[in-house]
Amino acid sequence: MEWQAEGLIIGTRKHGENAVIIETMTAEYGRHLGLVKGGRSRKYAALLQPGNSVQLTWRARLADHLGMFTVEALALRAANLMESRQRLALSQLLCEHLRLLPERDPHPRLYAEALAMHENEADGEILARGLVKFEMRLLNELGFGIDTSSCAVTGETAGLCYVSPRTGRAVTKEAGEPYKDKLFALPEVLGGALQMDKAAEIEAAFRLTGHFLHLHIWSPRQLSPPSMRQALIEGLVNGLY
């Protein structure tokens, strides 16, 4: 068995005396693991870092085996990421999110969005909007999407402003107004119609995705939210005030 693809390194762990198991995300083969012999040597020290893009060749005797990776550098970003606390936290969070995906299950749009955010040097509002949309897509592709197609009460497709924290269904402003203190705001960045200033909009969007990530993914798997997520969000939001 053999394939070749470009991949984003999202995690590593030691194996034996000098090998490393790397966890990568590819467009064609999804989240995929493989062994790199000699991966703990100086030769690979700068290459096998999360956030780097590499050319992968995977080989195994059978398809369900761990297999062996050979890797060549495509884009070594790790050193530059370390120069910016915000961009390093972003990279770490994206990698943690991608590690939630089922192994070997292709998610090409998530891969493309994660790669684009690694390559884009924008920060502030652009970065925040890209990240919260990524979290929304992650929920959708894991089967826990927030339903913003129509109002759960009236069936209307326009003017959706709130989301139920229990069902994930959206409602219009009129239908949700009596219960708005118990509902999540649905800001424009996530397809809603609720008018808010930039900082409040981003904060509300992350509050919404964070709730459903915890409800459907982190809590059932007995995981804590990624430690860098809250600090990164606070930094992004504070920069918009």
Side-chain angles (χ1 to χ4, degrees), residues 11-32:
T12 64
R13 65 175 185 266
K14 297 176 182 177
H15 183 81
E17 293 185 1
N18 64 358
V20 169
I21 294 175
I22 64 170
E23 193 171 2
T24 66
M25 186 68 189
T26 70
E28 302 94 331
Y29 303 99
R31 183 174 69 88
H32 208 291

Side-chain angles (χ1 to χ4, degrees), residues 58 62 95 102 135 153 164 221 231:
W58 179 83
L62 296 174
C95 290
E135 291 191 341
V153 177
S164 165
R221 300 186 190 187

Side-chain angles (χ1 to χ4, degrees), residues 126-164:
I126 294 174
L127 189 154
R129 288 178 179 274
L131 178 57
V132 79
K133 288 179 179 179
F134 179 88
E135 291 191 341
M136 189 77 156
R137 184 174 302 285
L138 178 67
L139 284 164
N140 286 333
E141 299 209 11
L142 285 172
F144 304 111
I146 300 166
D147 187 355
T148 60
S149 60
S150 63
C151 176
V153 177
T154 67
E156 295 179 38
T157 57
L160 303 175
C161 292
Y162 301 107
V163 172
S164 165

Side-chain angles (χ1 to χ4, degrees), residues 117-207:
M117 279 189 282
H118 271 92
E119 294 177 343
N120 192 336
E121 296 185 0
D123 54 15
E125 183 182 358
I126 294 174
L127 189 154
R129 288 178 179 274
L131 178 57
V132 79
K133 288 179 179 179
F134 179 88
E135 291 191 341
M136 189 77 156
R137 184 174 302 285
L138 178 67
L139 284 164
N140 286 333
E141 299 209 11
L142 285 172
F144 304 111
I146 300 166
D147 187 355
T148 60
S149 60
S150 63
C151 176
V153 177
T154 67
E156 295 179 38
T157 57
L160 303 175
C161 292
Y162 301 107
V163 172
S164 165
R166 184 176 62 86
T167 66
R169 294 288 306 277
V171 295
T172 62
K173 186 173 184 179
E174 292 74 16
E177 193 67 22
Y179 315 101
K180 66 178 182 180
D181 292 339
K182 298 180 180 180
L183 302 175
F184 285 108
L186 182 61
E188 288 183 309
V189 66
L190 295 181
L194 198 61
Q195 297 293 320
M196 311 171 76
D197 63 49
K198 289 182 181 179
E201 178 187 13
I202 296 301
E203 196 168 16
F206 278 116
R207 190 180 302 116

Side-chain angles (χ1 to χ4, degrees), residues 204-223:
F206 278 116
R207 190 180 302 116
L208 179 62
T209 57
H211 170 79
F212 287 102
L213 284 167
H214 187 272
L215 179 66
H216 295 302
I217 301 170
W218 295 329
S219 182
R221 300 186 190 187
Q222 298 182 326
L223 299 174

